[in-house]
PDB file of all heavy atoms in Angstrom:
ATOM      1  N   ILE A 125      74.992  80.225  -5.811  1.00 82.00           N
ATOM      2  CA  ILE A 125      75.268  81.313  -6.760  1.00 82.00           C
ATOM      3  C   ILE A 125      76.710  81.794  -6.576  1.00 82.00           C
ATOM      4  O   ILE A 125      77.099  82.184  -5.486  1.00 82.00           O
ATOM      5  CB  ILE A 125      74.290  82.477  -6.543  1.00 82.00           C
ATOM      6  CG1 ILE A 125      72.842  81.997  -6.746  1.00 82.00           C
ATOM      7  CG2 ILE A 125      74.596  83.619  -7.504  1.00 82.00           C
ATOM      8  CD1 ILE A 125      71.805  83.049  -6.418  1.00 82.00           C
ATOM      9  N   LEU A 126      77.487  81.731  -7.627  1.00 82.00           N
ATOM     10  CA  LEU A 126      78.880  82.180  -7.596  1.00 82.00           C
ATOM     11  C   LEU A 126      78.933  83.605  -8.127  1.00 82.00           C
ATOM     12  O   LEU A 126      78.602  83.850  -9.288  1.00 82.00           O
ATOM     13  CB  LEU A 126      79.757  81.261  -8.442  1.00 82.00           C
ATOM     14  CG  LEU A 126      81.264  81.528  -8.419  1.00 82.00           C
ATOM     15  CD1 LEU A 126      81.813  81.324  -7.016  1.00 82.00           C
ATOM     16  CD2 LEU A 126      81.976  80.632  -9.403  1.00 82.00           C
ATOM     17  N   THR A 127      79.323  84.545  -7.279  1.00 85.00           N
ATOM     18  CA  THR A 127      79.338  85.961  -7.635  1.00 85.00           C
ATOM     19  C   THR A 127      80.768  86.425  -7.897  1.00 85.00           C
ATOM     20  O   THR A 127      81.672  86.159  -7.107  1.00 85.00           O
ATOM     21  CB  THR A 127      78.727  86.806  -6.506  1.00 85.00           C
ATOM     22  OG1 THR A 127      77.405  86.333  -6.240  1.00 85.00           O
ATOM     23  CG2 THR A 127      78.646  88.271  -6.908  1.00 85.00           C
ATOM     24  N   ALA A 128      80.968  87.107  -9.003  1.00 87.00           N
ATOM     25  CA  ALA A 128      82.298  87.625  -9.335  1.00 87.00           C
ATOM     26  C   ALA A 128      82.712  88.699  -8.342  1.00 87.00           C
ATOM     27  O   ALA A 128      81.894  89.530  -7.947  1.00 87.00           O
ATOM     28  CB  ALA A 128      82.309  88.197 -10.749  1.00 87.00           C
ATOM     29  N   PRO A 129      83.975  88.715  -7.911  1.00 87.00           N
ATOM     30  CA  PRO A 129      84.425  89.726  -6.952  1.00 87.00           C
ATOM     31  C   PRO A 129      84.587  91.109  -7.564  1.00 87.00           C
ATOM     32  O   PRO A 129      84.694  92.091  -6.841  1.00 87.00           O
ATOM     33  CB  PRO A 129      85.775  89.177  -6.466  1.00 87.00           C
ATOM     34  CG  PRO A 129      86.254  88.337  -7.603  1.00 87.00           C
ATOM     35  CD  PRO A 129      85.027  87.731  -8.223  1.00 87.00           C
ATOM     36  N   PHE A 130      84.617  91.184  -8.896  1.00 86.00           N
ATOM     37  CA  PHE A 130      84.743  92.478  -9.562  1.00 86.00           C
ATOM     38  C   PHE A 130      84.199  92.338 -10.982  1.00 86.00           C
ATOM     39  O   PHE A 130      84.050  91.234 -11.509  1.00 86.00           O
ATOM     40  CB  PHE A 130      86.197  92.964  -9.595  1.00 86.00           C
ATOM     41  CG  PHE A 130      87.151  91.983 -10.222  1.00 86.00           C
ATOM     42  CD1 PHE A 130      87.337  91.949 -11.605  1.00 86.00           C
ATOM     43  CD2 PHE A 130      87.864  91.095  -9.436  1.00 86.00           C
ATOM     44  CE1 PHE A 130      88.206  91.051 -12.179  1.00 86.00           C
ATOM     45  CE2 PHE A 130      88.739  90.177  -9.997  1.00 86.00           C
ATOM     46  CZ  PHE A 130      88.909  90.153 -11.376  1.00 86.00           C
ATOM     47  N   ALA A 131      83.897  93.468 -11.606  1.00 85.00           N
ATOM     48  CA  ALA A 131      83.417  93.452 -12.984  1.00 85.00           C
ATOM     49  C   ALA A 131      84.592  93.241 -13.922  1.00 85.00           C
ATOM     50  O   ALA A 131      85.663  93.821 -13.732  1.00 85.00           O
ATOM     51  CB  ALA A 131      82.698  94.759 -13.304  1.00 85.00           C
ATOM     52  N   GLY A 132      84.413  92.406 -14.919  1.00 83.00           N
ATOM     53  CA  GLY A 132      85.511  92.144 -15.837  1.00 83.00           C
ATOM     54  C   GLY A 132      85.071  91.300 -17.003  1.00 83.00           C
ATOM     55  O   GLY A 132      83.878  91.193 -17.313  1.00 83.00           O
ATOM     56  N   GLU A 133      86.049  90.658 -17.651  1.00 85.00           N
ATOM     57  CA  GLU A 133      85.811  89.844 -18.831  1.00 85.00           C
ATOM     58  C   GLU A 133      86.230  88.411 -18.554  1.00 85.00           C
ATOM     59  O   GLU A 133      87.324  88.162 -18.037  1.00 85.00           O
ATOM     60  CB  GLU A 133      86.602  90.408 -20.016  1.00 85.00           C
ATOM     61  CG  GLU A 133      86.368  89.664 -21.317  1.00 85.00           C
ATOM     62  CD  GLU A 133      87.130  90.293 -22.466  1.00 85.00           C
ATOM     63  OE1 GLU A 133      87.542  91.469 -22.321  1.00 85.00           O
ATOM     64  OE2 GLU A 133      87.324  89.620 -23.493  1.00 85.00           O
ATOM     65  N   VAL A 134      85.358  87.471 -18.892  1.00 89.00           N
ATOM     66  CA  VAL A 134      85.648  86.047 -18.687  1.00 89.00           C
ATOM     67  C   VAL A 134      86.474  85.542 -19.861  1.00 89.00           C
ATOM     68  O   VAL A 134      86.064  85.676 -21.022  1.00 89.00           O
ATOM     69  CB  VAL A 134      84.343  85.239 -18.559  1.00 89.00           C
ATOM     70  CG1 VAL A 134      84.651  83.745 -18.468  1.00 89.00           C
ATOM     71  CG2 VAL A 134      83.565  85.686 -17.329  1.00 89.00           C
ATOM     72  N   SER A 135      87.610  84.942 -19.568  1.00 85.00           N
ATOM     73  CA  SER A 135      88.451  84.410 -20.638  1.00 85.00           C
ATOM     74  C   SER A 135      88.261  82.914 -20.810  1.00 85.00           C
ATOM     75  O   SER A 135      88.469  82.387 -21.904  1.00 85.00           O
ATOM     76  CB  SER A 135      89.928  84.702 -20.348  1.00 85.00           C
ATOM     77  OG  SER A 135      90.357  83.977 -19.200  1.00 85.00           O
ATOM     78  N   SER A 136      87.873  82.218 -19.738  1.00 89.00           N
ATOM     79  CA  SER A 136      87.660  80.771 -19.856  1.00 89.00           C
ATOM     80  C   SER A 136      86.777  80.289 -18.719  1.00 89.00           C
ATOM     81  O   SER A 136      86.753  80.880 -17.639  1.00 89.00           O
ATOM     82  CB  SER A 136      88.995  80.012 -19.835  1.00 89.00           C
ATOM     83  OG  SER A 136      89.643  80.193 -18.584  1.00 89.00           O
ATOM     84  N   ILE A 137      86.043  79.203 -18.988  1.00 91.00           N
ATOM     85  CA  ILE A 137      85.202  78.542 -17.984  1.00 91.00           C
ATOM     86  C   ILE A 137      85.678  77.106 -17.873  1.00 91.00           C
ATOM     87  O   ILE A 137      85.750  76.386 -18.873  1.00 91.00           O
ATOM     88  CB  ILE A 137      83.713  78.595 -18.379  1.00 91.00           C
ATOM     89  CG1 ILE A 137      83.257  80.052 -18.511  1.00 91.00           C
ATOM     90  CG2 ILE A 137      82.858  77.861 -17.364  1.00 91.00           C
ATOM     91  CD1 ILE A 137      81.824  80.204 -18.969  1.00 91.00           C
ATOM     92  N   ALA A 138      86.009  76.688 -16.666  1.00 91.00           N
ATOM     93  CA  ALA A 138      86.642  75.391 -16.466  1.00 91.00           C
ATOM     94  C   ALA A 138      85.666  74.277 -16.136  1.00 91.00           C
ATOM     95  O   ALA A 138      86.089  73.135 -15.934  1.00 91.00           O
ATOM     96  CB  ALA A 138      87.691  75.500 -15.346  1.00 91.00           C
ATOM     97  N   VAL A 139      84.370  74.560 -16.064  1.00 90.00           N
ATOM     98  CA  VAL A 139      83.399  73.526 -15.696  1.00 90.00           C
ATOM     99  C   VAL A 139      82.262  73.532 -16.705  1.00 90.00           C
ATOM    100  O   VAL A 139      82.088  74.487 -17.468  1.00 90.00           O
ATOM    101  CB  VAL A 139      82.836  73.760 -14.283  1.00 90.00           C
ATOM    102  CG1 VAL A 139      83.923  73.624 -13.235  1.00 90.00           C
ATOM    103  CG2 VAL A 139      82.174  75.123 -14.175  1.00 90.00           C
ATOM    104  N   ALA A 140      81.500  72.443 -16.694  1.00 90.00           N
ATOM    105  CA  ALA A 140      80.337  72.319 -17.577  1.00 90.00           C
ATOM    106  C   ALA A 140      79.070  72.321 -16.739  1.00 90.00           C
ATOM    107  O   ALA A 140      79.093  72.045 -15.528  1.00 90.00           O
ATOM    108  CB  ALA A 140      80.429  71.025 -18.393  1.00 90.00           C
ATOM    109  N   VAL A 141      77.950  72.619 -17.381  1.00 85.00           N
ATOM    110  CA  VAL A 141      76.662  72.651 -16.691  1.00 85.00           C
ATOM    111  C   VAL A 141      76.355  71.274 -16.104  1.00 85.00           C
ATOM    112  O   VAL A 141      76.493  70.253 -16.777  1.00 85.00           O
ATOM    113  CB  VAL A 141      75.543  73.070 -17.663  1.00 85.00           C
ATOM    114  CG1 VAL A 141      74.188  72.995 -16.976  1.00 85.00           C
ATOM    115  CG2 VAL A 141      75.789  74.483 -18.174  1.00 85.00           C
ATOM    116  N   GLY A 142      75.975  71.247 -14.817  1.00 84.00           N
ATOM    117  CA  GLY A 142      75.646  69.995 -14.152  1.00 84.00           C
ATOM    118  C   GLY A 142      76.832  69.295 -13.527  1.00 84.00           C
ATOM    119  O   GLY A 142      76.660  68.280 -12.850  1.00 84.00           O
ATOM    120  N   GLU A 143      78.027  69.806 -13.728  1.00 87.00           N
ATOM    121  CA  GLU A 143      79.232  69.168 -13.184  1.00 87.00           C
ATOM    122  C   GLU A 143      79.422  69.550 -11.720  1.00 87.00           C
ATOM    123  O   GLU A 143      79.171  70.675 -11.315  1.00 87.00           O
ATOM    124  CB  GLU A 143      80.446  69.618 -13.996  1.00 87.00           C
ATOM    125  CG  GLU A 143      81.768  69.002 -13.556  1.00 87.00           C
ATOM    126  CD  GLU A 143      82.932  69.480 -14.409  1.00 87.00           C
ATOM    127  OE1 GLU A 143      82.666  70.138 -15.437  1.00 87.00           O
ATOM    128  OE2 GLU A 143      84.091  69.204 -14.051  1.00 87.00           O
TER     129      GLU A 143
END
Side-chain angles (χ1 to χ4, degrees):
I125 300 174
L126 185 63
T127 303
F130 55 85
E133 183 178 342
V134 175
S135 66
S136 64
I137 300 177
V139 295
V141 175
E143 181 180 351

